[in-house]
C-alpha cells in the first residue's frame, strides 16, 4: 500500500477542511474508501425497500437478523448472529456471526430467494440434504418474512 499522506497540523496554516481532504486522499490511495463505498451500497437505513431492516426471530430471541438491500432493490444480504449453544443471544456468551446473499424478482416483490450454506436460514440447524448450498424461497407476509418451514421473522417496528 502507498505511504500514509503527510497531514499538517492546523497550526501550520491548514484548516480543518484541508486536513480532511488530505486524509481522504490517503484513504482512497490505500483502498479503504473503496471498501467503505461497497458496504455503503447495502445500507438498510437508506433503502425504501419493505425488506430492508431489522427482524425479530422468536426461535432465536435477541439474535441479530437484518436485511440490507442494494440500491438496485433486487439483491442484498442478510446478516445474523447466533449463540453457538443454541440459546438466546441476550446472554454475553460468544456469538457466531453469519451472512447470506439474497435476490428479489422486483424491488416490491413478495418473494425472496436466499442462498443458504450448510445451515437453514430459518432454523439455523445443519441441513440434512448433503448439499453445500441451497436456495430457500420465502415470502413477505404483511409484517415480516415467512419461511417454508413455518418460521416467521417479524419486522421490528420503525425499522426501514
Amino acid at each position: 500500500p502507498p505511504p500514509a499522506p503527510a497531514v499538517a497540523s492546523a497550526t501550520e496554516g491548514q484548516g480543518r477542511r484541508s486536513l480532511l481532504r488530505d486524509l481522504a486522499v490517503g484513504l482512497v490511495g490505500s483502498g479503504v474508501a473503496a471498501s467503505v463505498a461497497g458496504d455503503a451500497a447495502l445500507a438498510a437505513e437508506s433503502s425504501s425497500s419493505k425488506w430492508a431492516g431489522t427482524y425479530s426471530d422468536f426461535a432465536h430471541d435477541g439474535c441479530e437478523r437484518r436485511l440490507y438491500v442494494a440500491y438496485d432493490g433486487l439483491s442484498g444480504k442478510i446478516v445474523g448472529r447466533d449463540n453457538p449453544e443454541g440459546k438466546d443471544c441476550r446472554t454475553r456468551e460468544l456469538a457466531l456471526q453469519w451472512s447470506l446473499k439474497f435476490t428479489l424478482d422486483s424491488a416490491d416483490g413478495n418473494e425472496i430467494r436466499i442462498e443458504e450454506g450448510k445451515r437453514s436460514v430459518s432454523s439455523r440447524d445443519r441441513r440434512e440434504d448433503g448439499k453445500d448450498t441451497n436456495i430457500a424461497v420465502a415470502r413477505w407476509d404483511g409484517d415480516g418474512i415467512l419461511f417454508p418451514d413455518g418460521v416467521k421473522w417479524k419486522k421490528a417496528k420503525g425499522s426501514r
Side-chain angles (χ1 to χ4, degrees):
V7 179
S9 71
T11 59
E12 294 176 336
Q14 275 191 313
R16 188 182 323 178
R17 283 189 190 155
S18 295
L19 288 170
L20 291 174
R21 183 189 65 237
D22 290 346
L23 180 59
V25 167
L27 288 176
V28 169
S30 68
V32 172
S35 172
V36 171
D39 290 344
L42 295 173
E45 275 67 14
S46 66
S47 175
S48 61
S49 172
K50 66 184 172 189
W51 296 95
T54 303
Y55 291 80
S56 296
D57 177 358
F58 300 108
H60 300 92
D61 192 30
C63 295
E64 178 183 12
R65 303 289 186 260
R66 180 177 279 276
L67 272 71
Y68 294 89
V69 179
Y71 289 120
D72 67 6
L74 301 175
S75 62
K77 70 179 179 177
I78 301 172
V79 295
R81 184 176 55 90
D82 291 324
N83 183 321
E85 296 178 7
K87 300 177 185 175
D88 69 41
C89 291
R90 297 197 186 278
T91 62
R92 296 202 180 269
E93 296 176 36
L94 179 67
L96 298 174
Q97 296 180 335
W98 52 268
S99 68
L100 302 170
K101 295 178 184 179
F102 70 82
T103 58
L104 302 164
D105 285 333
S106 67
D108 63 347
N110 288 320
E111 195 170 270
I112 185 170
R113 288 177 312 287
I114 304 162
E115 297 176 25
E116 294 179 314
K118 294 187 181 205
R119 293 186 176 270
S120 162
V121 64
S122 56
S123 71
R124 301 307 301 148
D125 292 331
R126 286 202 177 276
R127 292 193 349 271
E128 306 270 334
D129 60 11
K131 298 187 294 183
D132 287 338
T133 61
N134 182 57
I135 301 295
V137 179
R139 297 198 50 79
W140 182 256
D141 191 32
D143 62 353
I145 303 169
L146 183 61
F147 295 92
D149 61 3
V151 170
K152 182 173 180 175
W153 292 357
K154 189 170 181 179
K155 191 163 187 182
K157 292 185 192 250
S159 179
R160 296 199 251 159

